[in-house]
Amino acid sequence: MTSWISKAWPVGVPVVAAIVLALSFGRHDLGTVVVVLVAVVLAATVLAAVHHAEVVAHRVGEPFGSLVLAVAVTIIEVALIIALSSSGGAKAETLARDTVFSAVMITMNGLVGLAILIGTIRHHTVRFNQEGASAATMTVAALAVLTLVLPTFTTGTDNASFTGVQLVFVAIASLALYGLFVFTQTIAHRDFFLPVGSGPAGHGSAAGPASAAGPASAAGPASAADETAHAATPTGRQTLVSLGLLLLALVAVVGLAKVESPAIEAGVAAVGFPPSFVGVVIALLILLPEGIAASKAAARDRIQTSLNLAMGSAMASIGLTIPSIAVASLFMPGTLLLGLGSAQIVLLALTIVAAVLTVLPGRATRLQGGVHLVIFAAFIVLSIAP
């Protein structure tokens, strides 16, 4: 029975979501029960979408798989931001900024810290490919500063926004940096993002021949074949079915987010949280599957996969989301405010410093994991009580 459910829910949820969307879209008199039902279906659809992205990712293999997952999550993120912003709710002008910043803090502190902590429960030290982790950290830092910090200090406008020329430049620069990283990750230096010891002639190894155990392992028997040892590679037919269901799920997520947007904003206001916390809710929702996947990978001693997922999601959240929102802002009312406040800039700077010091040695202990989690906790507290 459990096996049947595990196979049936990814297929059934997108179909159910499409039906719920057809019945609820455009209605403004939804009762509390219906709102809760739509919220549950929305969350389940996000999980289903990422599941099908994982099937496609498994088919193409690492590190392309992490890239597929990151892009799928980014599509969901952009859809939710546009859906909620177009509703004209409170703080709609800063929703993109709040969501992207939340995604960076969740991935670079929450997911990285949790993965390291889980990985070090069984092994006092976890090891990963320093070259790949450093490249990802540097790219995330550059993207975050260019898009979220720079507009706070520019003088072309009287608020935390870019001028038209500046926004075009930042959008193009974001895409260029993201594209350059993808080229590095998948073609030029693919071995930088594989387990330590699994590259050519042990390139990037920090632990010797006994350190790679799959697409993202940091310990265990050395075997590149372990990448597919834990699950059978999906067939071409299964991959096409998952691709179709992924597209259906993404469409349903967009529509259900539009239906649910008034309830999300009302719920945040009802508990007394600031309107900016809506961005945190969006980021937590879309990154929940990534968090589960990263945690499972860390529990199997696959820290490299955890880091690929976390940093890849942070990078895609900025490098793809900001250009998409920049284009969408041409057709949406209000000004696109991207500049962070002083407290947020401090947290971002602390995150970058901690991330650099974590990845440079190519190994980490519980201390590094704990530091990242404390920074993440500070982010949550300040999001609730700025």
Side-chain angles (χ1 to χ4, degrees):
M1 177 62 71
T2 303
S3 176
W4 181 85
I5 293 176
S6 65
K7 293 179 180 179
W9 81 265
V11 177
V13 167
V15 176
V16 171
I19 295 173
V20 172
L21 175 60
L23 295 176
S24 60
F25 193 79
R27 294 183 57 183
H28 303 285
D29 56 344
L30 300 177
T32 303
V33 176
V34 176
V35 168
V36 173
L37 175 63
V38 171
V40 172
V41 173
L42 175 59
T45 308
V46 171
L47 291 171
V50 176
H51 167 82
H52 291 298
E54 287 177 338
V55 173
V56 178
H58 191 188
R59 174 72 178 185
V60 300
E62 285 290 331
F64 299 93
S66 297
L67 177 62
V68 171
L69 288 171
V71 171
V73 169
T74 302
I75 292 173
I76 297 174
E77 179 181 8
V78 172
L80 290 173
I81 291 173
I82 293 176
L84 289 170
S85 296
S86 62
S87 68
K91 295 287 185 179
E93 293 179 337
T94 61
L95 182 59
R97 178 201 69 188
D98 296 334
T99 304
V100 171
F101 177 65
S102 298
V104 172
M105 298 302 292
I106 292 169
T107 52
M108 297 299 290
N109 288 313
L111 296 192
V112 170
L114 185 61
I116 292 175
L117 198 61
I118 290 175
T120 54
I121 288 177
R122 295 175 57 189
H123 304 271
H124 295 295
T125 302
V126 293
R127 298 179 183 272
F128 45 85
N129 202 317
Q130 181 267 345
E131 290 95 334
S134 297
T137 301
M138 177 184 66
T139 309
V140 171
L143 285 169
V145 172
L146 285 175
T147 58
L148 300 177
V149 177
L150 199 58
T152 302
F153 299 97
T154 55
T155 59
T157 62
D158 56 359
N159 53 25
S161 65
F162 283 124
T163 64
V165 174
Q166 291 170 343
L167 185 59
V168 170
F169 166 76
V170 167
I172 294 175
S174 298
L175 287 174
L177 283 174
Y178 185 74
L180 184 59
F181 177 82
V182 169
F183 175 78
T184 301
Q185 183 187 36
T186 59
I187 299 175
H189 299 285
R190 184 175 184 269
D191 53 307
F192 286 1
F193 302 89
L194 296 176
V196 288
S198 65
H203 175 75
S205 176
S211 67
S217 175
S223 173
D226 283 347
E227 179 173 340
T228 56
H230 293 272
T233 302
T235 64
R237 180 177 179 275
Q238 290 173 325
T239 304
L240 289 176
V241 170
S242 285
L243 183 60
L245 290 171
L246 172 61
L247 295 176
L248 178 62
L250 292 176
V251 171
V253 166
V254 175
L256 291 176
K258 181 67 175 178
V259 172
E260 195 70 8
S261 58
I264 293 176
E265 294 174 346
V268 170
V271 296
F273 291 173
S276 60
F277 197 77
V278 173
V280 181
V281 173
I282 296 175
L284 286 172
L285 175 63
I286 62 176
L287 291 171
L288 175 62
E290 296 282 53
I292 295 174
S295 299
K296 288 182 177 179
R300 295 195 300 266
D301 302 328
R302 297 170 173 238
I303 290 297
Q304 191 68 49
T305 287
S306 299
L307 295 182
N308 286 348
L309 286 170
M311 296 184 180
S313 295
M315 198 177 311
S317 181
I318 308 173
L320 297 181
T321 299
I322 294 299
S324 301
I325 296 300
V327 173
S329 67
L330 299 176
F331 309 96
M332 296 168 58
T335 304
L336 180 61
L337 302 180
L338 293 176
L340 296 173
S342 55
Q344 294 170 316
I345 292 175
V346 171
L347 283 178
L348 179 61
L350 182 58
T351 296
I352 293 173
V353 171
V356 169
L357 295 178
T358 295
V359 303
L360 279 181
R363 60 186 183 276
T365 65
R366 296 176 188 177
L367 175 60
Q368 282 93 338
V371 169
H372 282 284
L373 289 176
V374 168
I375 298 174
F376 174 67
F379 158 71
I380 294 296
V381 171
L382 292 176
S383 297
I384 297 173

